[in-house]
Amino acid sequence: MHKVLMIIFWSLIAIGIAGCDLNQNSSIKTLAAKGPIKIAVSNTPLSAPFFIAEQQGYFKRNNLNIELVRLDGGVKCFNALLNKQVDLATASETVVMFNSFKQTNFSVLASFVESDNDLKLLSLVPQKYHQLNNLANVRVGIVKSSASEFFFDSLLIMYNKTQQPIERIYLRADQLIPALLNNEVDIISAWEPLSYLLTQQITSNTKVINSRGLYHLSFNLIELKQTTLSASEKLALLKAINDAIDYIHTHSDLAQVDISRILNIDPSQLHYSWNDYTFRLSLSNALFSNIQIQSQWAIDNQLVPTEKSVDFRQVIDRQLLEDFMNSEAGW
């Protein structure tokens, strides 16, 4: 009888252990059956939190099956979302603003990085145009209907130069530096890493003005309002991104090594602009104001339908981030 009881006792323990193992792995098996959550991310250091989250295993630790779909630029990422090729996308506030005039079927869930020194005016003879002097008949290379053009127009307003006769030469981003070096333009309005790439060819200073703080770029996490993702999955994603941001803050040098390897860029290029990035999860009033200002610029320059009014509060969803912040604070 004693032997029978002992056999039953150890059998129950074995069943209990097996049950624990089953419970521990069941959610992972369910995730695998469901398939990965696809996120379109731009091939830029601005997307560092996503690359670090994947590299350091933060997605898996938060029980997420994530596939990063790497594309060149926020416009392509946003289009992949609209075409339902991905579940989420990352893009700048400028992309958000332009697309808000076309549809409001998407939501900005959070900003994850900001930079106040990403765009610059560059010239081979910057001293000639210091403080935006001598702009009459100057040839300026610009990427049309982009942050490049908005930044340049903002500077003209700030320095009271809007009446200057200026020749705008619209180019693709990859054409800006060649046009400057070939004397096809006198100034370019460019974002990183173009300033860094120019320093590799021209050793002298090329910056026309100190533009730090004059324009705030943000990259944002965006979803379609009709999504199959649950609130718990999105909260887990914010947790994984926040974990990656903490890693970036505490292991900056290691994070830079990882990002330069993942993006296959020279470490010196990454270091050139790394300190300009502020990685954090937010949805500040500054983002809303920035989108409003850019929208008025787009309307004034007839880049969007002038008869259409957009309430940008329709595309900014603060609830998810507030829920995440409350849960992190233990409320």
Side-chain angles (χ1 to χ4, degrees):
M1 183 66 181
H2 178 73
K3 288 183 178 179
V4 173
L5 290 173
M6 289 300 294
I7 291 171
I8 294 172
F9 174 75
W10 288 112
S11 296
L12 289 172
I13 289 178
I15 291 170
I17 292 172
C20 289
D21 288 340
L22 182 62
N23 288 335
Q24 192 173 31
N25 293 323
S26 61
S27 59
I28 296 175
K29 290 178 181 178
T30 302
L31 262 173
K34 182 180 178 182
I37 298 171
K38 295 184 178 182
I39 307 176
V41 295
S42 184
N43 268 321
T44 165
L46 291 164
S47 302
F50 291 85
F51 299 136
I52 292 297
E54 182 178 57
Q55 174 74 21
Q56 296 297 319
Y58 294 130
F59 291 138
K60 291 182 179 178
R61 289 185 201 177
N62 286 280
N63 200 28
L64 291 169
N65 183 8
I66 300 292
E67 178 184 341
L68 298 182
V69 180
R70 293 166 57 177
L71 299 171
D72 292 328
V75 172
K76 290 184 178 180
C77 291
F78 194 94
N79 288 339
L81 178 66
L82 290 181
N83 294 329
K84 298 184 178 179
Q85 298 168 320
V86 296
D87 302 291
L88 297 152
T90 63
S92 72
E93 79 289 339
T94 304
V95 175
V96 170
M97 181 274 294
F98 274 116
N99 279 278
S100 295
F101 282 91
K102 302 174 185 177
Q103 64 266 312
T104 56
N105 62 340
F106 64 91
S107 297
V108 178
L109 301 179
S111 297
F112 54 87
V113 64
E114 300 168 21
S115 174
D116 67 349
N117 197 33
D118 197 67
L119 279 111
K120 301 174 179 70
L121 287 189
L122 307 172
S123 174
L124 301 184
V125 285
Q127 64 280 1
K128 180 178 179 180
Y129 307 110
H130 181 62
Q131 300 300 100
L132 271 63
N133 293 324
N134 304 311
L135 286 184
N137 301 312
V138 71
R139 301 165 300 168
V140 182
I142 293 173
V143 181
K144 186 175 179 59
S145 302
S146 71
S148 164
E149 188 165 22
F150 171 72
F151 176 65
F152 182 67
D153 281 342
S154 298
L155 292 178
L156 292 182
I157 294 171
M158 186 177 300
Y159 285 85
N160 195 27
K161 302 290 184 180
T162 56
Q163 301 305 313
Q164 292 285 320
I166 295 170
E167 182 181 359
R168 298 181 184 226
I169 299 179
Y170 292 115
L171 302 166
R172 298 193 313 269
D174 62 340
Q175 295 175 321
L176 291 175
I177 289 180
L180 185 63
L181 294 175
N182 294 330
N183 196 33
E184 296 168 9
V185 296
D186 305 298
I187 298 173
I188 58 174
S189 179
W191 49 67
E192 292 297 347
L194 295 183
S195 176
Y196 168 82
L197 295 176
L198 188 60
T199 65
Q200 302 306 293
Q201 301 182 60
I202 304 295
T203 56
S204 60
N205 177 45
T206 61
K207 296 177 186 177
V208 173
I209 61 172
N210 179 11
S211 55
R212 180 180 290 278
L214 300 182
Y215 171 78
H216 284 260
L217 167 79
S218 69
F219 251 55
N220 310 279
L221 180 63
I222 305 164
E223 71 166 355
L224 292 180
K225 289 179 179 177
Q226 290 187 335
T227 178
T228 60
L229 299 181
S230 66
S232 60
E233 286 175 318
K234 290 183 284 187
L235 286 170
L237 177 58
L238 291 186
K239 179 67 167 64
I241 297 305
N242 200 53
D243 290 344
I245 289 173
D246 287 343
Y247 178 88
I248 289 171
H249 291 162
T250 56
H251 300 86
S252 178
D253 292 340
L254 291 176
Q256 289 181 65
V257 170
D258 288 339
I259 297 303
S260 62
R261 178 183 54 78
I262 291 168
L263 295 178
N264 193 28
I265 59 177
D266 192 286
S268 63
Q269 174 182 333
L270 185 63
H271 183 71
Y272 180 84
S273 56
W274 186 258
N275 289 333
D276 294 335
Y277 303 143
T278 301
F279 294 104
R280 61 172 179 164
L281 286 178
S282 67
L283 271 181
S284 66
N285 290 330
L287 172 65
F288 182 78
S289 298
N290 199 3
I291 293 176
Q292 287 275 41
I293 293 169
Q294 289 191 39
S295 70
Q296 189 58 55
W297 161 78
I299 291 170
D300 292 343
N301 288 274
Q302 299 182 332
L303 302 175
V304 294
T306 56
E307 73 282 357
K308 186 171 183 180
S309 176
V310 178
D311 182 358
F312 293 103
R313 290 172 295 184
Q314 295 180 18
V315 298
I316 296 180
D317 180 5
R318 299 182 183 276
Q319 190 61 54
L320 184 74
L321 185 60
E322 288 179 2
D323 290 345
F324 171 72
M325 293 301 186
N326 290 339
S327 67
E328 287 293 285
W331 296 346

